[in-house]
Amino acid sequence: MKILLLTQWYYPEPGPHVHELAEELVSRGHGVTVLTGFPTYPSDRFYEGYRPRLFLREECGGVKIVRVPHFAHGKGSAVLRVLNYCSFMFSAMTIGNALIGKADCMYVFLPPPLLGLAAKVISFFHRISLMYDIQDIWPDAIEASSFSCSKVFKRAISLIASFVYPFAKAISVPSAGYRRNLISKGVEGDRIEVIPNWADEHIFRPLPYDATMARQYGLEGAFTVVFAGNLGHAQSLETILDAAELLRDKPDIRFLLAGDGAALESLRVRCGRSGLTNVIFAGRLPVEDMPLLFSVADLLVVHLREHRAFRMTIPRKTQEYMACGKPILMGVGGDAAELINETRAGVTCRPELPAEMAEAILQVYQLSPEQRRVIGNNARKAYERLFQKRDVVGQYERLLYRVAGIEACRRSEVSQCGEL
């Protein structure tokens, strides 16, 4: 099968799983071409070696890559962010449309919803059916992550989304909550399939206790609570600091925050003002070091501020934590909390309630090491049952066959409609 993947972000940019999906599909015998931009995210400038030009062709991991120009990501600037989205949409539907060939089907990674317009133009000219992989539902996700979002902007995004959703023959979402949300917006349920995210299994895996990592951060003999990832406003990490303050009478409980983000400086100031000596900031670590850090953790925290949009999501770090086989404290309601409770992979608390978080931490703290190992094993077994990459990619593969209308064909007979 010949597959076109349309995404604004692609390797070497971090985050979305599209490059892993593309390479896995190639390993299964499919021809894959990615139409994307020049890498900038999360910076506000282009990566070294990627000076923007009319187009660039590359190949990586057997995947053909076509890059088209756009404005830089515009970190911290809403205007530049919109220009980034709009310029890529325009380049994709014009320059990119002229550079790609025929395909059996098209996979489109959303957001932003504007990309659905480019997808429709490409679909029309090349006569290929498309599917959307919706990882964030706009404007809900923007409203949840920001403290201000004008009604006019939200209305505009809602109109764009409602316009582009009908273009897709199928839509994949990472949780049942997303599916319910789209159905409430008028999308037919039989077009929506829940396909979860996975972790990078070459990196995220159970490792034995790393004494060097423990010594580096002064965690020897401590009950260690770790949060790793973006230290942003959406994570509302003041809740963790408040819980740490409530537990400061237990000196063997220590909190480590690994990562960077918009809230980092205010969190540091808050710790200094409160005299919290049980909180450690590790800074941003290479992703390859995360399993070593997790090996010295007794509890891994997922937390987002209270918002209806977050109650329908399962943060990607959940799968990474589960793959490492550690107990999880889920400070996100809805689907994410249900997952942890149903798999017995940890404990839960309601978001932005420090007393509940402190109580949940104490609940795990009071368990024996063997009991904590059982919970960690539950997390790992649940990952293997629900989120392994080979199984999840198989779901994408079957959906793409269905979108292409060739699901009844033998795989050796698929892809007779030309080269990309």
Side-chain angles (χ1 to χ4, degrees):
M1 180 165 53
K2 299 295 182 182
I3 307 166
L4 172 65
L5 271 64
L6 175 61
T7 173
Q8 184 156 349
W9 304 283
Y10 193 73
Y11 183 84
E13 292 170 299
H17 58 238
V18 185
H19 75 277
E20 290 185 59
L21 174 63
E23 291 182 2
E24 182 67 20
L25 289 170
V26 166
S27 75
R28 296 181 182 214
H30 303 291
V32 178
T33 293
V34 173
L35 177 56
T36 189
F38 289 82
T40 62
Y41 181 81
S43 175
D44 57 357
R45 63 189 64 188
F46 292 97
Y47 285 28
E48 185 177 353
Y50 284 98
R51 178 180 56 83
R53 64 204 81 169
L54 186 62
F55 67 89
L56 174 67
R57 293 186 186 273
E58 295 182 294
E59 185 167 326
C60 180
V63 178
K64 297 176 183 178
I65 305 170
V66 178
R67 298 189 185 272
V68 294
H70 55 85
F71 285 98
H73 179 68
K75 184 178 181 181
S77 169
V79 173
L80 289 178
R81 189 76 57 84
V82 172
L83 284 174
N84 172 250
Y85 296 149
C86 292
S87 59
F88 177 73
M89 175 192 70
F90 181 77
S91 289
M93 70 170 59
T94 54
I95 301 169
N97 194 28
L99 292 174
I100 59 158
K102 294 181 179 179
D104 295 307
C105 58
M106 176 168 40
Y107 163 104
V108 186
F109 183 87
L110 297 182
L114 280 171
L115 201 54
L117 300 176
K120 177 58 180 175
V121 170
I122 295 170
S123 172
F124 174 78
F125 276 96
H126 292 273
R127 297 293 188 269
I128 50 178
S129 298
L130 60 91
M131 66 158 283
Y132 295 146
D133 185 359
I134 299 179
Q135 291 289 316
D136 284 311
I137 297 178
W138 286 19
D140 307 60
I142 294 177
E143 181 185 357
S145 299
S146 306
F147 292 110
S148 62
C149 187
S150 74
K151 291 182 179 179
V152 173
F153 180 76
K154 287 192 290 184
R155 180 61 178 162
I157 292 294
S158 295
L159 287 172
I160 292 170
S162 63
F163 178 70
V164 303
Y165 287 161
F167 297 160
K169 190 171 182 179
I171 294 173
S172 66
V173 292
S175 71
Y178 275 35
R179 185 175 187 274
R180 292 190 295 268
N181 181 281
L182 289 179
I183 290 173
S184 74
K185 289 177 165 63
V187 181
E188 301 91 337
D190 58 1
R191 288 199 294 130
I192 308 170
E193 183 163 335
V194 177
I195 302 181
N197 290 313
W198 66 86
D200 186 334
E201 293 162 10
H202 296 293
I203 296 175
F204 294 99
R205 63 201 188 282
L207 291 178
Y209 185 88
D210 190 280
T212 301
M213 183 69 74
R215 282 194 302 271
Q216 181 177 347
Y217 295 107
L219 300 173
E220 305 100 315
F223 177 90
T224 304
V225 181
V226 171
F227 176 92
N230 182 36
L231 308 184
H233 297 299
Q235 285 69 35
S236 190
L237 298 177
E238 295 81 5
T239 304
I240 294 181
L241 301 190
D242 290 340
E245 190 161 7
L246 291 172
L247 296 172
R248 66 194 311 168
D249 62 332
K250 295 193 177 296
D252 58 333
I253 299 180
R254 295 176 199 165
F255 296 78
L256 186 144
L257 277 63
D260 196 359
L264 174 59
E265 189 54 35
S266 64
L267 294 170
R268 287 184 183 276
V269 169
R270 162 67 200 284
C271 273
R273 188 171 62 243
S274 302
L276 292 177
T277 58
N278 57 346
V279 178
I280 302 157
F281 291 92
R284 186 172 183 175
L285 303 179
V287 66
E288 295 81 7
D289 288 352
M290 300 315 297
L292 294 173
L293 178 63
F294 297 165
S295 76
V296 304
D298 297 284
L299 189 61
L300 299 175
V301 180
V302 185
H303 190 266
L304 291 170
R305 72 187 186 95
E306 173 56 36
H307 193 280
R308 57 183 174 77
F310 290 144
R311 290 195 290 272
M312 63 184 176
T313 189
I314 298 176
R316 186 181 298 272
K317 65 165 52 69
T318 305
Q319 283 90 351
E320 295 172 350
Y321 287 175
M322 295 179 84
C324 290
K326 287 288 182 173
I328 296 168
L329 167 53
M330 180 59 69
V332 182
D335 287 21
E338 288 177 13
L339 171 67
I340 298 304
N341 289 329
E342 289 172 2
T343 60
R344 299 183 179 180
V347 292
T348 63
C349 68
R350 289 177 293 173
E352 299 190 279
L353 293 176
E356 279 199 19
M357 177 176 283
E359 182 60 34
I361 291 169
L362 283 175
Q363 184 180 339
V364 180
Y365 169 76
Q366 291 164 355
L367 298 175
S368 68
E370 179 56 34
Q371 288 172 314
R372 291 198 286 268
R373 274 193 292 273
V374 169
I375 296 173
N377 288 338
N378 289 344
R380 176 64 195 183
K381 290 175 183 175
Y383 178 85
E384 292 173 349
R385 186 174 73 255
L386 301 172
F387 305 120
Q388 276 199 308
K389 182 169 76 170
R390 66 168 184 265
D391 298 328
V392 177
V393 173
Q395 290 180 259
Y396 276 114
E397 186 179 33
R398 289 188 293 273
L399 185 59
L400 288 166
Y401 272 117
R402 196 176 87 201
V403 169
I406 51 178
E407 59 188 336
C409 299
R410 293 200 310 251
R411 293 187 180 187
S412 61
E413 296 173 343
V414 169
S415 300
Q416 300 303 314
C417 59
E419 297 290 328
L420 282 166

